Amino acid sequence: MDSTGEEVELTRWQQAPIPANGAGAVVVGINGERAQLGCPCTLKLWEATGPRTFTLGNVEFPVSQQAGP
């Protein structure tokens, strides 16, 4: 959710499922201009087939350093 409470669709990538009591990496990002997203945001990740959830507050998305087309 952005700072106004609006849900935002993210692009996500995860190498493999993260096992219970394990560690892993999940990469998330937004498509489009950062100006369209009111930050700070709340990021909520959840398990596709189970009860685990993880919520982070005050998330900021950095501006991409990629060159434009």
Side-chain angles (χ1 to χ4, degrees), residues 1-4 6 8 10 30 34 37-44 55-61:
M1 288 186 189
D2 69 8
S3 60
T4 66
E6 184 175 337
V8 177
L10 297 175
I30 59 172
R34 185 190 181 282
L37 184 63
C39 283
C41 298
T42 299
L43 178 63
K44 182 178 180 182
T55 303
L56 292 168
N58 286 333
V59 175
E60 297 278 344
F61 289 91

Side-chain angles (χ1 to χ4, degrees), residues 64-69:
S64 173
Q65 298 300 316
Q66 294 179 325

